[in-house]
């Protein structure tokens, strides 16, 4: 179960990065070119959210199954950068990033003006993505 979950998490990571990036770029370009919020814009926004939520759910399970997750929390772990990244910084920062993406989705859904929808996506998804990129274990991935 652990190996399967880890592979799944590692694969869905590409999907999250790609789909959230597409949503951000689409929002920024649409804002600059004053384009309307179309059915396609809605899809880009939704696919980014779904990928992030899928990763959140299975990431949480992985955290309690992985030998480098919750089970590895200790004073010694806190003193070493990669173990601390896996057990503390990565999970925390990914949750914050996904919360921001979810807030952006909700704000875009509630906004009435097209520009306001794109702005919510550009900022919330954009900052969420930057936080996610800051705490990927790049030493061991891809
Ligand atoms: C730990 C697990 C999860 C949590 C805490 C969570 C939380 C949330 C929250 C708070 C929203 C509301 C956003 C809003 O205000 O519109 C939301 C929406 C959504 N979530 Fe999740 N989610 C989780 C897992 C999933 C999974 C596994 C999927 C599917 C693969 C998913 C798909 C969606 C979709 C499609 C919406 C948008 C619904 C809409 O159009 O309003 N979520 N989720
Ligand atoms: C935006 C969402 C996320 C992305 C893009 C992401 C990405 C990644 C990547 C690329 C790895 C390295 C995989 C490998 O070494 O093959 C990883 C590992 C890990 N992630 Fe995430 N992650 C996300 C969310 C989460 C969340 C929400 C949690 C838990 C709360 C979590 C817990 C873990 C754990 C425990 C590992 C270490 C697994 C191991 O090596 O045993 N991740 N993540």
């Amino acid at each position: 179960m652990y190996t399967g979950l880890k592979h799944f998490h590692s694969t869905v990571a590409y999907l999250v990065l790609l789909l959230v990036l597409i949503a951000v770029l689409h929002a920024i370009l649409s804002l600059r070119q004053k384009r309307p919020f179309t059915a396609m814009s809605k899809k880009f926004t939704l696919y980014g959210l779904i990928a992030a939520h899928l990763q959140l759910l299975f990431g949480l399970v992985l955290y309690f199954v992985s030998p480098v997750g919750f089970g590895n929390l200790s004073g010694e772990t806190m003193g070493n950068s990669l173990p601390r990244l896996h057990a503390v910084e990565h999970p925390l920062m990914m949750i914050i990033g996904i919360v921001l993406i979810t807030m952006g989705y909700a704000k875009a859904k509630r906004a009435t003006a097209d520009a306001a929808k794109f702005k919510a996506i550009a900022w919330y998804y954009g900052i969420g993505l930057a936080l996610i990129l800051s705490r990927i274990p790049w030493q061991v991935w891809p």
Side-chain angles (χ1 to χ4, degrees):
M1 157 132 146
Y2 164 59
T3 312
L5 260 179
K6 187 175 162 179
H7 277 130
F8 181 77
H9 193 73
S10 180
T11 308
V12 175
Y14 288 105
L15 218 60
V16 175
L17 298 182
L18 187 72
L19 293 175
V20 175
L21 181 67
I22 289 176
V24 173
L25 292 179
H26 174 76
I28 293 174
L29 291 177
S30 303
L31 261 179
R32 292 186 62 159
Q33 296 166 4
K34 299 193 174 16
R35 285 205 295 247
F37 193 88
T38 60
M40 182 72 101
S41 313
K42 201 175 165 185
K43 276 189 191 144
F44 284 150
T45 311
L46 183 64
Y47 293 162
L49 179 85
I50 292 177
H53 281 197
L54 194 67
Q55 189 73 327
L56 171 65
L57 181 65
F58 286 93
L60 280 169
V61 180
L62 178 62
Y63 186 61
F64 292 100
V65 172
S66 165
V68 299
F70 181 73
N72 196 36
L73 280 179
S74 72
E76 201 187 331
T77 295
M78 298 311 269
N80 293 297
S81 64
L82 186 61
R84 186 176 64 231
L85 178 70
H86 273 135
V88 184
E89 296 170 2
H90 172 78
L92 268 181
M93 196 62 96
M94 299 300 129
I95 290 173
I96 296 172
I98 296 168
V99 166
L100 282 174
I101 289 170
T102 308
M103 286 168 66
Y105 178 85
K107 277 189 184 291
K109 204 166 84 172
R110 267 192 271 114
T112 44
D114 287 359
K117 288 179 186 285
F118 286 131
K119 270 187 195 151
I121 306 297
W123 280 110
Y124 284 84
Y125 278 46
I127 295 172
L129 180 61
L131 295 183
I132 287 168
L133 286 173
S134 79
R135 286 298 178 277
I136 296 261
W138 295 112
Q139 299 97 315
V140 294
W141 188 83

